[in-house]
Amino acid sequence: MSRTHRIDIRVYYEDTDFSGVVYHASYLRFMERGRTELIRALGIEQRELFDGETALGFAVRKMTIDFLRPAVMDDLLTVETRSVEARGATMDLEQRVLRGEEVLIAAAVKVACVGAGRARRIPDELRKRLMLDE
């Protein structure tokens, strides 16, 4: 059983296009915040992962996004992030952006754990915290 993390995000003018609708690329930033805050909620600061001899980070390898409904300026959105599966150096996540109960965006995301310019196995402790033990 994996964890679902939620973070609320307000839509600002800078997130929208000329018509006041959220620009599609803004959702990428919203979902990045969701993934970052999921890791933070597990008690892991990303800065800790970057420091030291075994510095690690996560890079998006693949993302499939369904844009279902638009958000507009001043909306309060919730980004949900759920870990689904981990295999070696990659992890699959599901993300949704909601306005209340209404799903605006649904995404499947594959991230790769990287260090020193190469793929690295996701640390066992992180797998445990994400409830993704193999």
Side-chain angles (χ1 to χ4, degrees):
M1 183 73 177
S2 67
R3 301 174 188 234
T4 299
H5 179 268
R6 291 171 182 83
I7 179 175
D8 291 332
I9 294 177
R10 176 75 62 190
V11 175
Y12 296 107
Y13 177 76
E14 67 195 27
D15 302 316
T16 64
D17 62 16
F18 68 93
S19 68
V21 172
V22 172
Y23 183 64
H24 72 280
S26 295
Y27 292 107
L28 297 176
R29 289 193 316 273
F30 299 163
M31 290 186 288
E32 178 70 32
R33 289 181 208 160
R35 293 189 302 274
T36 299
E37 292 302 327
L38 167 67
I39 299 298
R40 182 172 285 128
L42 297 173
I44 301 168
E45 294 289 332
Q46 284 203 355
R47 186 176 17 197
E48 291 174 26
L49 291 175
F50 290 138
D51 291 339
E53 294 175 18
T54 59
L56 297 174
F58 292 97
V60 172
R61 184 171 175 276
K62 180 179 180 180
M63 182 180 279
T64 304
I65 306 172
D66 287 325
F67 294 91
L68 304 170
R69 301 214 182 283
V72 296
M73 197 169 10
D74 291 331
D75 278 352
L76 182 60
L77 307 178
T78 301
V79 177
E80 291 183 345
T81 304
R82 185 173 75 86
S83 52
V84 177
E85 184 178 19
R87 290 174 309 284
T90 63
M91 178 171 48
D92 293 330
L93 303 157
E94 291 177 350
Q95 291 191 279
R96 299 188 319 164
V97 178
L98 302 101
R99 180 178 46 225
E101 298 297 317
E102 181 180 31
V103 179
L104 307 180
I105 303 292
V109 184
K110 181 182 291 292
V111 296
C113 184
V114 294
R118 348 181 346 191
R120 300 280 188 200
R121 181 174 167 78
I122 298 169
D124 291 338
E125 181 60 28
L126 180 55
R127 279 177 205 277
K128 284 181 193 173
R129 291 185 191 191
L130 287 166
M131 301 175 127
L132 292 173
D133 297 275
E134 292 182 306

